[in-house]
Structures are given as structure tokens and as C-alpha cells.
Amino acid sequence: MHTNVHVLVVAIPAFGHIVPMLELAKKITRFHRVTFAVSASKVIQMKDRDMLNENDALAIHSIPDGLDSDLDSLMAEHDHAGVEAFFDIVFTSFVRLFNEMPISDNVDGVTGSLEGSDTISLHNGSVDVVIAVNFAGSQAAICHDRGVPFYLFNPENAVLLQNILSIRDDHPTVPAEEADPFWRLPEPDQPPRPISQMIKNMWLPLRKKLHLASGIIINSCRELEMDALKEVMKMPEMSEMSVFCVGPLFPEEVADVVVKKNATRAAVQTEVLKWLDEKANGTVIYVSFGSIAAPTPDQVKTIGLALSALNRPIIWSLRKNLAFLPAEITTDSNCKFFILPWAPQKLILSHASVGVFLSHCGWNSTLEGLASGKPIVAWPMFVDQLLNAQLILKLGVGVMISRTDVKPEKGVSVEEIKSAIQAVSGMGGEGLQKPDYAETARLWGGKVGTAWSQSRSSSGEFLQLVKFQPLKL
């Protein structure tokens, strides 16, 4: 069923945001015309990663922002000035897009620009609704001024909204290099923790413009976020806000397309699957720290020693510092260790042989871990990862290792890592009553993994979302 509504989805050029927003855009094409807008610098990479194929019903708009830097790399290198310059370029290009996108000459009674020589041309024509990433909320408010309803997409969990809504004009700031690497919830009856000026410059205008949005879309399922949503909805800015939990937003598997378009990745998948099939159920430990931060050389060595001491099969997605792996791993002749720079994470987590997931707890990885029903050992490094790790603890599906941030005062020991993995595996603490992390993880996997099933929460909220509310006055 298609309507005459044209939805413009606008993403920040970072794959942690692009992946869920693109999946949301593809789902919306079942009901409306959709254009997905992202920096031209990412469109080619999206094609290389098999994220786009000829069967997609959505149009792609390459934003000509001239970007020649990569956010993931800048963050990994802690290049604070580079990150700030990156967002300046991105938000400037968003302002132009929202000001010059074609709209009908009468949207809800507000006269706007027609598509013409002084506007940005879009394949699907005039824009009726905009979905923009939440960080661009203050820029997206231009849509409201032009008579176009806009929604904000929150790619992280709902707790991040609590952080954003806690920012005030007098919120203290510190230089970026001195700021806490983690985003933390405000503590009751305590002064707010200082944040970087860049984050304040991004979040404060967003909070002030939030009330103009027609709704907030969250990449999560309501079952996971009940407590956080309850707190969020108490805040004045949210008193009349519609909130749609439509996660987890994972790319749909199209195996034949992968084989045709990316033979290298297909070969990796085949090799990984063969290796996993040879291992006993629940014995494999899967280790991945995402695509941005990477363990330091010392951490790679310590983690490697801990994994070796466990005497279990290990599959580790490791891109950097391979030279610091201990000899126990590099000289392994029994196929106990499988080290690779890129891993098909969903395939690995869904395999019966995998028993534990050691993760940095980026939100996309956290959702994949939860949906797989596997217990998680959290190793948060920066930004929202501590909030996600705290959710893991609250749900009872795993444990968290401390002092793992990008600038720890003290390192983590081999014994701490071993103990954490043994705890979620049910191997430690003889004679003590231990939490059954595996069973709790399995139960949550049933909820999160089926949130998009017919009549389940995310499926129902998505159907409400695509009705799209009129402009907020």
C-alpha cells in the first residue's frame, strides 16, 4: 500500500546511525515514497557494504557536503577538533537541505518553496514529512518553520534522551580532552557533571526545539525501555510528545545479494560458519569491540591471556594491535582461536555454539546481543556505551568489567576478565547461588528478537508511526 506521502530520512554520515535509519527507511517504503539522504562520502561505502541493492524501493540523495573525513576514525583518534569540524560541515549541509528541499506550495496552509532552480532537486519530488537524526534536531526545526512536520530518530537507547533533556543554559563545561569519556545520567541532588562545549552546543539547542517535533522515534523496543521512558515522559518537553519504539532495526538478510555483490564477505561468512559448526553448543566466546574504538596494545595482550587461560574456542573480531596478541594465540595449532578483522556478527551471535559475547556495548551491538539471547560481558569504552552496559546489568543478562574506558587510571587484570566470563557462563563461585545469566538472556532474546513479529510492540508502534501526524502548531 503506497500513498502520495513523500518521507525524507536524513542521517549523520556515521554507520552506527546509518544502519538503523536505512532499515527504518526501507520499512517505510511499504507505505510511502521514501528518500534517504546522507553525505555523498558514504553512499559509495554503503554500496560496497551491500547495504543498497536494486530491489530497494527508496531513492538515495547524496548530500554534496564535501566531507573528506570519517567520524569513526576521528573519534577513534580522539581528534576533538576534527570531530567538531566534522559536525559543523554536516549541520551546515543539513540547514541547506531543509531550507531548499522542495515542498508543496501549500503544506497545512503554509506557503513554501516549489521545486525549482533555487531548490535541491529530489527524485521523489516535494517532501511531506522529514525524519532526521536526533543530533540534528535544532536544524530540523527549519522544517516546522516551512510547514513540514518532522520526527527525530534516536539511534541509541531512551536513556540518552534523559541526558539531552537534562542540559540547561548554565550546565558546566570543560575542554573536550578533559571531559568524561562516558555520557552519564544526572545523579539526584548532585550538581551536573561537566560536559564538553561541543556536546552542549549540540544538545542544548536540540532540547529547546524538541517540542516542535511531531514525534520521537527510538531504535529500541518498549519492553526494554519501560523505566527510562517513564522518566523521560515526566520531563516538560515531553508532555505532549508522541514516542515510537520501533527497534531493533537490523538489516534484513538477503544472502543471494551478498554472494553476488561481495564475494570476499561471503567467503568469510562461509569460513566462519564452518568453524562454528565444528564447535560444541554454548562453548564459543565471541569478542568484538565495534568499528570505532579499539583495545590498547596492553589491553589486547591482557584480554588474549585471559581468553587463553579459559581453554575455550574464541572468535575475535580484531582490527588493530594484532602484533600484541600473546604467543598462546598466535601459535595456536588446534583451531581454538579464530581472529579476523571483520566478522558477520549476526550470524555468529545466532549460532548455537556461541555461549558468551564480550562486547564494547555500542547500541547496535547491544541490541544484537540481546536479540540473540546470549549473555554479555560488557567492556564499555566511551560515550553511550556505559549507559548500555548499565542496562545489561539491570536486565540481568550479563556483567560489566570496570576501568575499560579510553583513559583508565588503572588497567584490567587477566583474573578480572576470566572471572567475568566465567560468571556469565555459570562456571565460577563454587558453592554460591549464582544468577542464571544464560537463562535470563534467553528470555530477553525471546522478547527483543520477536519485537517485530506480528502483533508485538515494535511492529504495532511502527504502524502507528507511518500514519504520520500533521504539523505541530
Side-chain angles (χ1 to χ4, degrees):
M1 179 188 73
H2 284 264
T3 70
N4 289 323
V5 173
H6 175 202
V7 183
L8 175 65
V9 180
V10 184
I12 281 177
F15 281 104
H17 291 194
I18 291 172
V19 169
M21 292 196 78
L22 181 64
E23 182 59 23
L24 177 65
K26 289 180 179 182
K27 290 181 182 297
I28 295 173
T29 60
R30 302 170 191 169
F31 301 87
H32 306 293
R33 292 174 293 128
V34 180
T35 297
F36 187 84
V38 70
S39 171
S41 65
K42 291 299 178 190
V43 173
I44 294 176
Q45 293 180 45
M46 289 165 66
K47 292 176 180 176
D48 290 343
R49 293 185 179 207
D50 299 320
M51 296 172 69
L52 303 172
N53 66 75
E54 60 273 11
N55 297 321
D56 292 334
L58 79 169
I60 299 296
H61 175 68
S62 299
I63 301 176
D65 49 25
L67 266 179
D68 58 3
S69 56
D70 178 75
L71 181 60
D72 290 355
S73 298
L74 293 170
M75 292 180 69
E77 296 162 5
H78 313 300
D79 183 349
H80 304 295
V83 171
E84 190 165 357
F86 175 93
F87 278 110
D88 283 345
I89 293 170
V90 170
F91 291 150
T92 298
S93 71
F94 284 2
V95 167
R96 177 172 180 254
L97 175 62
F98 296 138
N99 271 317
E100 299 184 17
M101 65 185 184
I103 63 175
S104 64
D105 60 346
N106 195 324
V107 181
D108 285 343
V110 181
T111 300
S113 301
L114 290 167
E115 184 172 359
S117 59
D118 61 341
T119 63
I120 292 172
S121 178
L122 298 176
H123 175 76
N124 279 325
S126 299
V127 174
D128 302 296
V129 177
V130 168
I131 297 175
V133 68
N134 58 355
F135 289 173
S138 60
Q139 293 79 22
I142 294 169
C143 303
H144 182 275
D145 297 340
R146 298 187 66 200
V148 177
F150 74 96
Y151 293 73
L152 294 178
F153 180 83
N154 189 75
E156 290 88 6
N157 67 26
V159 178
L160 180 63
L161 274 178
Q162 290 180 259
N163 274 21
I164 293 171
L165 293 170
S166 72
I167 304 298
R168 293 294 181 266
D169 290 290
D170 60 353
H171 201 107
T173 62
V174 293
E177 59 272 11
E178 297 176 17
D180 189 328
F182 291 122
W183 297 339
R184 301 177 190 266
L185 277 178
E187 297 180 18
D189 304 319
Q190 295 293 320
R193 292 175 179 268
I195 58 174
S196 74
Q197 188 64 51
M198 185 193 74
I199 291 295
K200 184 174 180 178
N201 291 345
M202 190 185 301
W203 286 1
L204 184 60
L206 164 57
R207 181 185 69 78
K208 292 181 175 181
K209 298 284 188 179
L210 192 70
H211 67 283
L212 298 176
S214 293
I216 305 251
I217 306 165
I218 301 178
N219 180 26
S220 186
C221 55
R222 194 164 290 270
E223 291 89 340
L224 282 176
E225 303 278 13
M226 294 298 291
D227 293 339
L229 287 170
K230 190 180 297 183
E231 293 302 314
V232 165
M233 298 311 293
K234 292 178 183 177
M235 299 183 174
E237 296 89 346
M238 300 293 292
S239 60
E240 298 181 9
M241 184 66 66
S242 297
V243 175
F244 306 90
C245 293
V246 299
L249 290 164
F250 301 145
E252 294 183 3
E253 300 294 343
V254 190
D256 58 332
V257 174
V258 174
V259 170
K260 289 177 186 176
K261 295 179 64 178
N262 197 323
T264 301
R265 288 199 171 191
V268 172
Q269 290 182 352
T270 300
E271 187 179 3
V272 166
L273 188 59
K274 180 177 182 295
W275 186 87
L276 291 171
D277 285 344
E278 294 170 350
K279 306 299 181 283
N281 286 358
T283 59
V284 174
I285 300 168
Y286 171 51
V287 184
S288 175
F289 297 102
S291 59
I292 302 179
T296 65
D298 283 346
Q299 288 174 333
V300 168
K301 182 178 180 180
T302 304
I303 294 167
L305 289 171
L307 295 174
S308 298
L310 289 169
N311 196 32
R312 289 176 59 174
I314 312 292
I315 183 165
W316 189 349
S317 177
L318 183 63
R319 297 171 291 109
K320 297 179 180 179
N321 298 324
L322 278 77
F324 297 91
L325 287 167
E328 290 88 337
I329 293 179
T330 57
T331 59
D332 168 49
S333 59
N334 298 315
C335 296
K336 190 173 75 173
F337 291 92
F338 192 172
I339 312 295
L340 65 173
W342 172 83
Q345 183 157 289
K346 282 180 65 181
L347 182 150
I348 293 171
L349 287 172
S350 65
H351 200 280
S353 68
V354 175
V356 176
F357 181 23
L358 174 55
S359 171
H360 67 306
C361 285
W363 186 236
N364 289 333
S365 287
T366 299
L367 286 176
E368 289 180 347
L370 288 169
S372 74
K374 304 295 166 61
I376 298 172
V377 174
W379 183 290
M381 296 184 181
F382 62 172
V383 293
D384 66 322
Q385 294 168 11
L386 178 63
L387 299 174
N388 303 334
Q390 289 169 339
L391 178 62
I392 294 300
L393 300 184
K394 183 177 180 179
L395 296 175
V397 299
V399 299
M400 179 172 68
I401 299 174
S402 301
R403 305 184 312 281
T404 57
D405 59 87
V406 291
K407 44 184 181 182
E409 295 180 1
K410 180 183 176 184
V412 180
S413 70
V414 170
E415 192 56 41
E416 285 176 286
I417 300 169
K418 279 178 55 184
S419 296
I421 295 173
Q422 288 171 335
V424 299
S425 305
M427 296 165 56
E430 290 299 326
L432 299 176
Q433 186 166 357
K434 302 179 290 294
D436 192 341
Y437 294 104
E439 177 60 17
T440 306
R442 186 188 66 78
L443 293 173
W444 273 108
K447 296 176 183 179
V448 178
T450 61
W452 268 95
S453 301
Q454 190 173 7
S455 78
R456 292 302 300 273
S457 61
S458 294
S459 177
E461 295 195 35
F462 173 74
L463 292 176
Q464 291 300 312
L465 167 67
V466 294
K467 294 178 181 178
F468 291 122
Q469 300 299 311
L471 184 74
K472 260 192 179 178
L473 299 177

